[in-house]
């Protein structure tokens, strides 16, 4: 009997991505919530000695790290259920391009926008707007990045739909609004309305409280 | 882009381009290459059209459609020309391992590589230590296998070997000797260089070093 474990964190968008993928494929798994920000468990260090981060998928005792790598692994291992990636090589290449763009450009820049101040924040806001414009263009007239239904790019874009919206509000920013980005705005509504997505999000008040505490700690540290 | 067939937008010193050349060669795929004259001075209209977001080489243009990002291109090539010399490991777990290590290396070298030749003092020393630590991890992953792919030259070998042409540059700027520090990895480098696809794709390390000096001068870095 296959044994699937997921080392993750309740609040991590990267961890939630993998949960969505596993659930889409109907894979049963054991979830181990790691409090990574405060403590790295011996098992986590054993399974991810290089990065010491979540998520880590452990399948029959073998660990797979890095959420994008895990998503592809899930897609290739459990062929039943919806495909996360298209079969066509060119379409697949596009999906890989956009997921990498999201993770290497969008997520860090959007994150930085919320946590930086002054000139650094202004610069990050400009960059974020440029990146969001690119995504807005990519969506074009599609309901989801994956077309009529969600695909890997939508799953990977989860940070933008939920985490960033909470963060930007706490930071007093309005970088991503429906007025500025109507297509992304519509995508967020449709995306968060998908059962598989809304049933696998961290609770809003818990996540808000967590980030609020971090903002307050950061402000206190700057004030000293 | 009206091109038929396979076109590779490239620049001679880019290890990311070399990855693609090696893969195309191993698969026996005929391709045209279009060299960017000098990517530091300006990018060609074709490159800007094919890769408007990153504006970087390599870009593979296959029947008029551009594919960007070297790792992405390798996976694409392997999927399209799947009957010739498979590059990706067969098993999903082995694939995941290869992808993990490419991701690890690419993120590391992007920052560390530059700091090893462009910075000085403590920053350079830190970068050097990080680089050596990373190579030792890779050497551990290699173990006593002839290739990262086991008996077969594959995805991870193709992704990593191009950077060996920069080893002389890093060793000279940062004063270390990889033969002593990572002997098994260097054996693997030599073994890969015996393959025609690799020896054709990789430039002479001294040429790479001289180019490094030129770029430093051009950028005003001492």
């Amino acid at each position: 009997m296959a044994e699937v474990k997921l080392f993750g964190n309740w609040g991590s968008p990267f961890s939630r991505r993998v949960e969505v993928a596993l659930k889409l494929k109907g894979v049963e798994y054991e979830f181990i919530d790691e409090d990574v920000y405060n403590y790295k468990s011996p098992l986590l260090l054993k399974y991810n000695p290089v990065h010491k981060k979540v998520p880590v998928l452990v399948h029959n005792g073998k660990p797979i790290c890095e959420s994008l790598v895990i998503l592809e692994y899930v897609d290739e291992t459990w062929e039943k259920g919806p495909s996360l990636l298209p079969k066509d090589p060119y379409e697949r290449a596009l999906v890989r391009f956009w997921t990498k763009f999201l993770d290497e450009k969008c997520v860090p820049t959007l994150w930085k926008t919320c946590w930086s101040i002054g000139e650094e924040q202004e610069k990050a806001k400009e960059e974020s707007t440029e990146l969001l414009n690119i995504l807005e263009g990519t969506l074009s007239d599609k309901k989801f990045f994956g077309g009529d239904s969600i695909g890997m790019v939508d799953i990977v874009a989860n940070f933008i739909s939920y985490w960033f919206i909470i963060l930007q509000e706490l930071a007093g920013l309005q970088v991503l609004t429906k007025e500025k980005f109507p297509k992304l705005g519509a995508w967020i509504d449709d995306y968060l309305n998908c059962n598989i997505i809304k049933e696998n999000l961290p609770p809003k008040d818990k996540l808000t409280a967590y980030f609020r505490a971090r903002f307050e700690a950061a402000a206190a540290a700057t004030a000293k | 882009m009206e091109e038929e067939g396979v076109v590779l937008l490239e620049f001679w010193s880019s290890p990311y381009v070399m990855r693609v050349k090696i893969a195309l060669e191993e698969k026996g795929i005929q391709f045209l290459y279009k060299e960017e004259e000098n990517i530091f001075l300006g990018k060609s209209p074709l490159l800007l059209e094919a890769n408007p977001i990153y504006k970087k080489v390599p870009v593979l243009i296959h029947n008029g459609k551009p594919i960007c990002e070297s790792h992405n291109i390798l996976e694409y090539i392997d999927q399209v020309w799947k009957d010739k010399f498979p590059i990706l490991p067969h098993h999903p777990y082995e694939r995941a391992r290869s992808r993990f290590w490419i991701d690890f290396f690419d993120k590391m070298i992007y920052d560390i590589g530059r700091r090893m030749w462009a910075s000085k003092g403590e920053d350079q020393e830190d970068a050097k230590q990080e680089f050596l630590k990373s190579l030792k991890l890779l050497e551990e992953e290699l173990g006593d296998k002839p290739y990262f792919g086991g008996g077969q030259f594959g995805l991870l070998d193709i992704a990593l070997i191009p950077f060996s042409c920069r080893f002389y540059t890093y060793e000279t700027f940062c004063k270390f000797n990889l033969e002593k520090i990572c002997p098994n990895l260097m054996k693997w480098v030599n073994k890969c260089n015996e393959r025609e696809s690799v020896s054709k794709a990789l430039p002479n390390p001294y040429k790479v070093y001289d180019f490094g000096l030129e770029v430093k001068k051009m950028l005003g870095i001492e």
Side-chain angles (χ1 to χ4, degrees):
Chain A
M1 181 77 176
E3 195 193 54
V4 184
K5 291 185 196 210
L6 176 64
F7 290 79
N9 175 274
W10 69 271
S12 158
F14 306 98
S15 170
R16 291 284 175 172
R17 287 170 183 177
V18 178
E19 292 203 81
V20 167
L22 289 170
K23 289 191 171 146
L24 268 174
K25 294 275 190 182
V27 178
E28 291 202 10
Y29 64 97
E30 184 194 340
F31 182 74
I32 298 120
D33 200 356
E34 292 274 332
D35 183 18
V36 273
Y37 306 106
N38 295 314
Y39 170 71
K40 317 254 176 182
S41 74
L43 268 183
L44 177 65
L45 296 176
K46 173 186 164 189
Y47 288 131
N48 194 357
V50 174
H51 297 305
K52 308 175 178 54
K53 284 183 186 175
V54 292
V56 181
L57 187 77
V58 180
H59 183 204
N60 292 333
K62 292 181 177 173
I64 302 105
C65 310
E66 291 298 293
S67 65
L68 297 188
V69 176
I70 298 172
L71 291 176
E72 291 219 37
Y73 177 82
V74 169
D75 201 41
E76 285 170 350
T77 304
W78 290 280
E79 285 171 342
K80 282 188 193 166
S83 292
L84 300 176
L85 281 125
K87 298 286 181 231
D88 176 74
Y90 184 68
E91 297 301 319
R92 246 172 134 79
L94 286 178
V95 165
R96 288 187 175 121
F97 177 86
W98 289 113
T99 54
K100 217 169 159 215
F101 174 76
L102 281 162
D103 263 9
E104 291 185 3
K105 291 268 176 204
C106 298
V107 173
T109 307
L110 291 171
W111 178 262
K112 191 176 170 185
T113 305
C114 298
W115 293 96
S116 53
I117 50 171
E119 215 178 290
E120 209 189 320
Q121 189 179 52
E122 285 311 307
K123 196 171 164 224
K125 268 163 78 175
E126 263 177 52
E127 269 180 58
S128 289
T129 301
E130 265 177 53
L131 295 170
L132 291 172
N133 269 324
I134 293 173
L135 291 176
E136 179 88 355
T138 306
L139 257 178
S140 178
D141 52 5
K142 299 192 299 244
K143 189 176 179 189
F144 298 110
F145 290 101
D148 294 326
S149 53
I150 60 167
M152 187 154 148
V153 179
D154 301 276
I155 295 173
V156 171
N158 64 346
F159 175 81
I160 298 176
S161 72
Y162 192 73
W163 283 258
F164 180 65
I165 302 301
I166 293 173
L167 280 166
Q168 74 166 358
E169 191 177 325
L170 287 170
L173 298 170
Q174 290 195 305
V175 173
L176 170 48
T177 63
K178 281 185 181 168
E179 292 70 38
K180 288 189 220 171
F181 302 100
K183 290 176 184 165
L184 272 175
W187 169 78
I188 291 173
D189 287 342
D190 288 329
Y191 182 67
L192 296 180
N193 214 22
C194 293
N195 286 331
I196 195 99
I197 299 298
K198 68 182 169 200
E199 285 161 11
N200 288 292
L201 290 169
K204 192 168 181 193
D205 37 13
K206 191 177 174 188
L207 193 63
T208 307
Y210 169 76
F211 280 136
R212 183 175 286 120
R214 276 183 71 171
F215 269 113
E216 284 163 5
T222 319
K224 281 187 194 146
Chain B
M1 279 161 291
E2 297 297 325
E3 313 290 343
E4 283 284 317
V6 182
V7 177
L8 176 64
L9 303 188
E10 60 142 317
F11 187 66
W12 72 270
S13 76
S14 162
Y16 304 99
V17 167
M18 292 169 215
R19 287 175 169 175
V20 180
K21 280 184 169 172
I22 294 170
L24 290 170
E25 184 73 28
E26 289 284 348
K27 292 220 181 234
I29 298 161
Q30 300 290 322
F31 67 99
L32 275 177
Y33 64 84
K34 296 201 172 171
E35 175 127 19
E36 292 290 302
E37 271 186 44
N38 190 328
I39 45 175
F40 299 106
L41 293 179
K43 320 238 168 162
S44 72
L46 181 57
L47 176 59
L48 296 175
E49 188 193 347
N51 192 357
I53 292 179
Y54 294 113
K55 308 175 177 56
K56 283 185 182 174
V57 290
V59 181
L60 191 79
I61 305 176
H62 184 209
N63 295 334
K65 292 182 183 171
I67 301 102
C68 308
E69 297 293 287
S70 61
H71 178 181
N72 211 359
I73 297 171
L74 293 180
E75 300 244 7
Y76 175 83
I77 288 172
D78 202 46
Q79 210 190 336
V80 172
W81 290 279
K82 56 180 180 286
D83 299 326
K84 303 181 182 192
F85 195 86
I87 293 174
L88 259 74
H90 181 68
H91 196 277
Y93 182 69
E94 298 306 324
R95 291 179 175 205
R97 279 195 89 80
S98 295
R99 289 168 179 151
F100 171 82
W101 285 112
I102 297 173
D103 176 72
F104 165 79
F105 184 83
D106 282 358
K107 284 175 174 152
M108 182 273 300
I109 205 73
Y110 183 75
D111 169 48
I112 300 295
R114 183 158 214 268
R115 283 163 59 199
M116 280 196 286
W117 71 250
S119 64
K120 290 186 283 195
E122 210 178 302
D123 192 34
Q124 189 186 48
E125 182 61 27
D126 284 346
K128 166 186 160 185
Q129 294 306 331
E130 199 56 46
F131 179 68
L132 293 176
K133 194 171 133 191
S134 303
L135 285 197
K136 287 200 195 122
L137 280 174
L138 285 167
E139 196 178 48
E140 218 178 288
E141 175 66 15
L142 179 65
D144 52 11
K145 305 195 292 286
Y147 295 115
F148 282 96
Q152 166 100 325
F153 183 69
L155 181 70
L156 186 50
D157 303 281
I158 294 173
L160 297 176
I161 194 61
F163 290 87
S164 67
C165 72
R166 291 186 169 180
F167 285 174
Y168 175 73
T169 304
Y170 297 145
E171 285 174 312
T172 311
F173 283 134
C174 299
K175 300 179 183 30
F176 58 84
N177 182 334
L178 282 172
E179 286 284 352
K180 287 190 182 153
I181 301 170
C182 301
N184 275 345
L185 198 66
M186 296 313 284
K187 269 195 208 132
W188 164 81
V189 168
N190 293 334
K191 190 170 172 68
C192 290
N193 273 293
E194 287 167 12
R195 300 183 79 87
E196 201 181 330
S197 63
V198 176
S199 58
K200 268 171 88 170
L202 267 56
N204 185 300
Y206 302 123
K207 184 180 177 191
V208 173
Y209 174 72
D210 286 341
F211 184 65
L213 288 176
E214 244 181 79
V215 174
K216 274 180 89 156
K217 206 168 157 187
M218 191 179 73
L219 297 174
I221 304 168
E222 279 166 37

